[in-house]
Amino acid sequence: MTKASTRISDICAMEGFTIKVYDKAKLTEIAENENGKMGAYPRQRKTKDSSTVAEFIKSFEDTYPGLTCKVFKKGGEEAIGQTTLSTVRAS
């Protein structure tokens, strides 16, 4: 089984920004050493630059039921919902 930290690193590398993953019901960050918490990331390419953070989060939640995430700019600031992913990636 793959650790959550490996899946998160894979997503971040493909998407070009940092995320943190949370249990949606408890709103607590998941432990990165948990095995089998997250399946393989189904995307073969990064999400479109014109997509918003809110759209990315919705897609993430659809892919990983029971989980949610926050998106962060390169400086560590959380990106808000209407920010485009191109802006996040360029930060």
Side-chain angles (χ1 to χ4, degrees):
M1 300 220 127
T2 304
K3 289 183 179 182
S5 61
T6 301
R7 294 288 186 225
I8 294 167
S9 293
D10 291 346
I11 294 168
C12 293
M14 178 178 292
E15 295 293 351
F17 50 79
T18 302
I19 65 168
K20 289 186 180 180
V21 179
Y22 298 84
D23 180 294
K24 194 170 182 177
K26 298 176 188 175
L27 295 177
T28 56
E29 192 170 357
I30 66 168
E32 292 188 356
N33 63 351
E34 287 189 58
N35 285 325
K37 188 80 172 179
M38 299 172 68
Y41 192 53
R43 299 184 68 70
Q44 300 299 316
R45 297 182 182 161
K46 70 180 182 178
T47 305
K48 291 181 182 179
D49 280 341
S50 60
S51 295
T52 65
V53 169
E55 291 168 337
F56 174 81
I57 291 171
K58 172 71 171 107
S59 175
F60 181 91
E61 292 174 349
D62 291 344
T63 302
Y64 300 108
L67 299 177
T68 190
C69 69
K70 292 183 180 180
V71 174
F72 294 88
K73 297 178 182 179
K74 289 189 170 102
E77 177 187 356
E78 183 178 350
I80 59 172
Q82 293 305 311
T83 306
T84 61
L85 296 182
S86 63
T87 300
V88 175
R89 291 178 178 123
S91 64

